[in-house]
Amino acid sequence: MKGSFGALVARGLWRALSDRTAIIGGLLAVTVLAVAGPAASFNVFASGADTATRAAKLRLYGWNYTSSFDFLMVALGFALGANQIAGDIKAGTLFGVLARPVSRGKVFLAGWSVSALLLVGLEIPRSAFLIGTASWLEGRLDPLHLLGALAVVSGAWLALASLAALGTVLTPTYAILAGLLGVIAGNLAFHQEIRIGAWMLDTVGVLLPLPWGQERIVGDALTGASSHAGPIVEVIAYRLAWTALLLFLGSLAFSRRDIAPRV
Amino acid sequence: MSATAPVIADQLGKDFREGFLMRKKSALESVSFTIQEGEIFGFLGPNGAGKSTTLHVLVGFLRPSRGRALVAGRSPQEPEARRFLGFLPEVFAFDRFATGRGLLRRFDALSDRPVEGRDERVRDALEAVGMEEAASRRIGTYSKGMMQRIGLAQALLGDPDLLILDEPMSGMDPATRHSTRMVLCARRERGKTTLLSSHILADVEEVADRVLILDRGRKVAEGPIAELGEARAGAVVFRDDDPARFDPDLAPLGLSRETVPGEPDLSILRTADTSAKNAALALLAAGGADIVSVTPQRAGLEEIFLELTATKVTKGTDLGARSEGEGEAS
Ligand SMILES: Nc1ncnc2c1ncn2[C@@H]1O[C@H](COP(=O)(O)OP(=O)(O)OP(=O)(O)O)[C@@H](O)[C@H]1O
Ligand SMILES: [Mg+2]
């Protein structure tokens, strides 16, 4: 990797791994896997059904039992994102970096890349195990299974990018509060039962990076309930597009902002 | 090295937005100066004068609201402007878990310098601040003075053409202060430029070729210390219940009395003319006035500083209050 970007990535990795919130989140995530993984496998293999049913059950139990892992990934994305710029400014450690010949955009993107890779690293054991075992039982790889896992990862990336972008203009605490507010508003607005006029929801859904019935689509792809690739591809595209837009906006806001060390 | 001056500030102005209503507050107004290559340029001013604000504009942390700054001939917003620059902020923190040496190695890599020569560059910087021994310890365990030294080391890393230091001497013991001055002078020998902001006037007086004094966001003086001292008039401060009675005799000497707000019996006479000053002193002494202070003709940096900045009023009243107290006691 090129000199200063590589050094920024190395520094980002070091910071993420010494961030207490991130360590606790990571440990919790590993715990969920350690408990839910064997539990799901045991349920499936003790059921004694034929291999096709076993594969279906494995996907259903495997992803459902570890659904708290999805939540942890998003929470971890929040923590890592807020720590990236906002936390670095608050700690006063960013200024030594900004005084060097690196662009702020590079600092922002390098920080995000490190956290994004860490989240992927955390997701790989679960996805590899579930996709691998199910493929082995089914005798083929279901592309929707793979796409579902990609949707989970891109969801975590989106959470990470949102907080990283908010963190370029807010303190860590306010960035997390704003992020949580977004999640709450999203959950309220997109409950199908509350019909405050469908057009309003549609408009908000386009204007804000809020999940619109996406969890069901992702769940269907992961558990094999759906055999249409269209919706899940749309979800992935939506999440990646929003991630890219937020990275662009965050890097722009960071580059234009006044940041100076204060007592 | 480029042909332009290392630092040019042209009519720099900076506003901050403050409080809930985000009201504008000016921290810097029309500040212009040019620092020449190989110079040690002292940056002075009372608390809140705008020194740090100016330095932060120069390193690209803040965008100027008005005017323009050029560092190495470039806008400070360009990363390239910082390629040959070292900066020590007034307040800073480094990753606690890193060792001093680890931190410098990382910063060297961040400056995009080649791996070959890194060990030597890091060693030179540590040596310059006398931190070779503590370099393997974690930064979280450093004392205040050691923090200040490792901060200076990271600024000196790679022997930058331009060094910008915001209060580098605070928290340093006398020996370290001395060796820091030596480091700055050695840099000058090699033609390297330093911008030094400090409250320790004795340090600045010893090393700076020129100084700039800021007061409440405005430039109040700039030049070599010796010249600034010559331009200052000597000042005679005296106390009398009815100072106006001296006015008829002072007028022929070309002297007019200044008063200090809130101190009706305190008066100041300013003159660059030694014979007028001596005549006035004789006159005042004969008239029974209490002579509080006589500022030397060729003022030192401290006199210049106190005279030019708002601090002079406080100092005048302080002096007055003290001499009054002594008078009552005796
Ligand atoms: N981020 C900010 N927001 C609002 N006001 C600010 C900000 N930074 C500085 N100021 C104000 O700008 C003025 C100049 O501050 P600055 O820190 O440049 O002073 P200074 O000369 O470095 O003082 P000191 O000797 O105390 O370090 C002060 O009135 C300060 O309150
Ligand atoms: Mg300051």
Side-chain angles (χ1 to χ4, degrees):
Chain A
M1 219 174 300
K2 202 177 154 282
S4 59
F5 193 81
L8 283 170
V9 167
R11 172 170 187 268
L13 195 63
W14 178 262
R15 287 192 70 237
L17 293 180
S18 56
D19 178 27
R20 218 169 295 151
T21 326
I23 294 173
I24 293 173
L27 285 178
L28 278 175
V30 171
T31 312
V32 169
L33 285 190
V35 174
S41 311
F42 180 79
N43 265 3
V44 172
F45 288 97
S47 67
D50 61 294
T51 45
T53 319
R54 272 183 173 178
K57 277 189 170 178
L58 180 76
R59 283 172 72 169
L60 185 65
Y61 294 157
W63 290 104
N64 281 347
Y65 284 13
T66 55
S67 61
S68 52
F69 188 81
D70 296 353
F71 167 77
L72 274 171
M73 287 269 285
V74 170
L76 209 53
F78 267 44
L80 287 171
N83 187 41
Q84 203 181 297
I85 298 297
D88 215 352
I89 292 176
K90 191 167 181 222
T93 44
L94 185 62
F95 304 106
V97 175
L98 293 186
R100 320 239 146 230
V102 286
S103 74
R104 291 197 190 170
K106 221 179 197 181
V107 173
F108 181 75
L109 289 179
W112 182 84
S113 310
V114 171
S115 305
L117 284 179
L118 281 177
L119 290 177
V120 173
L122 212 55
E123 176 58 52
I124 280 180
R126 169 172 80 157
S127 291
F129 173 72
L130 288 175
I131 295 175
T133 319
S135 303
W136 170 62
L137 288 171
E138 283 173 335
R140 68 176 194 104
L141 171 69
D142 178 5
L144 259 80
H145 204 173
L146 209 57
L147 288 173
L150 193 56
V152 171
V153 169
S154 53
W157 282 0
L158 177 55
L160 180 67
S162 309
L163 264 288
L166 285 170
T168 61
V169 287
L170 299 173
T171 61
T173 316
Y174 282 117
I176 287 186
L177 279 177
L180 287 177
L181 212 64
V183 171
I184 292 170
N187 277 338
L188 280 182
F190 293 103
H191 258 297
Q192 300 290 324
E193 307 88 63
I194 315 172
R195 302 214 52 94
I196 335 166
W199 66 271
M200 264 172 68
L201 295 187
D202 284 346
T203 316
V204 176
V206 173
L207 292 180
L208 291 175
L210 300 171
W212 163 260
Q214 291 182 350
E215 291 321 314
R216 192 181 38 76
I217 297 172
V218 177
D220 286 354
L222 288 172
T223 56
S226 161
S227 54
H228 303 291
I232 190 71
V233 168
E234 221 178 284
V235 167
I236 295 171
Y238 174 92
R239 292 180 175 182
L240 289 182
W242 264 108
T243 302
L245 182 65
L246 283 166
L247 288 181
F248 172 73
L249 291 177
S251 142
L252 195 70
F254 183 43
S255 302
R256 305 194 65 85
R257 199 193 141 186
D258 275 351
I259 310 174
R262 308 234 37 214
V263 223
Chain B
M1 208 173 281
S2 66
T4 54
V7 176
I8 298 174
D10 180 22
Q11 299 287 316
L12 270 191
K14 180 68 189 171
D15 298 331
F16 286 111
R17 299 210 164 262
E18 240 188 11
F20 185 67
L21 294 174
M22 303 290 278
R23 260 205 289 266
K24 254 194 203 170
K25 186 179 139 250
S26 164
L28 221 51
E29 266 319 320
S30 315
V31 173
S32 301
F33 59 91
T34 300
I35 304 180
Q36 303 299 340
E37 203 172 304
E39 214 178 11
I40 299 181
F41 192 81
F43 218 60
L44 309 173
N47 293 133
K51 302 182 297 295
S52 299
T53 302
T54 311
L55 303 192
H56 292 155
V57 168
L58 294 180
V59 293
F61 288 180
L62 302 175
R63 285 165 179 265
S65 310
R66 289 169 297 282
R68 190 167 82 113
L70 285 179
V71 171
R74 296 170 184 274
S75 151
Q77 252 67 47
E78 285 178 53
E80 272 308 304
R82 296 187 289 276
R83 174 142 330 260
F84 303 105
L85 180 144
F87 177 53
L88 172 65
E90 184 175 9
V91 276
F92 58 85
F94 298 126
D95 301 298
R96 301 170 44 79
F97 298 113
T99 62
R101 183 174 288 112
L103 180 89
L104 295 195
R105 292 187 62 86
R106 184 185 293 163
F107 276 157
D108 195 66
L110 275 174
S111 293
D112 226 350
R113 299 192 188 112
V115 180
E116 53 271 17
R118 180 161 298 159
D119 287 333
E120 290 77 52
R121 287 191 295 273
V122 167
R123 195 197 49 217
D124 290 347
L126 288 169
E127 236 172 51
V129 299
M131 283 285 282
E132 305 99 313
E133 304 232 320
S136 316
R137 279 170 51 188
R138 291 199 168 176
I139 289 176
T141 67
Y142 285 0
S143 71
K144 167 148 172 57
M146 289 161 85
M147 271 305 279
Q148 204 67 29
R149 284 199 261 171
I150 202 73
L152 184 60
Q154 62 83 34
L156 288 169
L157 192 62
D159 197 17
D161 294 340
L162 174 63
L163 183 64
I164 299 184
L165 305 175
D166 199 353
E167 316 250 0
M169 316 282 195
S170 82
M172 281 186 182
D173 60 45
T176 315
R177 261 176 61 195
H178 175 78
S179 64
T180 302
R181 289 196 302 263
M182 295 297 106
V183 168
L184 298 188
C185 291
R187 275 177 54 82
R188 174 168 50 199
E189 301 281 293
R190 282 178 282 124
K192 307 263 176 177
T193 315
T194 303
L195 170 47
L196 169 70
S197 155
S198 179
H199 286 301
I200 307 180
L201 299 176
D203 287 338
V204 177
E205 193 159 21
E206 192 178 323
V207 299
D209 301 301
R210 283 194 302 145
V211 296
L212 182 151
I213 303 180
L214 276 183
D215 187 22
R216 281 166 288 186
R218 291 174 186 278
K219 180 169 96 174
V220 291
E222 183 190 355
I225 297 169
E227 272 177 32
L228 290 181
E230 266 157 23
R232 296 294 102 214
V236 175
V237 180
F238 70 96
R239 185 182 291 278
D240 197 82
D241 289 335
D242 177 22
R245 65 193 168 98
F246 294 109
D247 287 352
D249 297 325
L250 290 172
L253 297 171
L255 297 175
S256 66
R257 220 165 29 83
E258 290 171 31
T259 51
V260 178
E263 292 274 342
D265 56 347
L266 209 58
S267 303
I268 304 173
L269 300 173
R270 291 180 206 279
T271 177
D273 178 355
T274 313
S275 58
K277 186 180 71 184
N278 289 342
L281 281 172
L283 201 132
L284 292 172
D290 170 17
I291 292 166
V292 177
S293 75
V294 182
T295 314
Q297 181 83 18
R298 169 77 171 267
L301 189 53
E302 187 167 9
E303 281 89 355
I304 300 169
F305 181 87
L306 294 175
E307 171 125 16
L308 286 174
T309 60
T311 0
K312 73 184 173 196
V313 174
T314 338
K315 168 114 181 182
T317 13
D318 265 349
L319 259 181
R322 199 172 335 124
S323 65
E324 191 171 65
E326 280 160 6
E328 272 166 25
S330 58

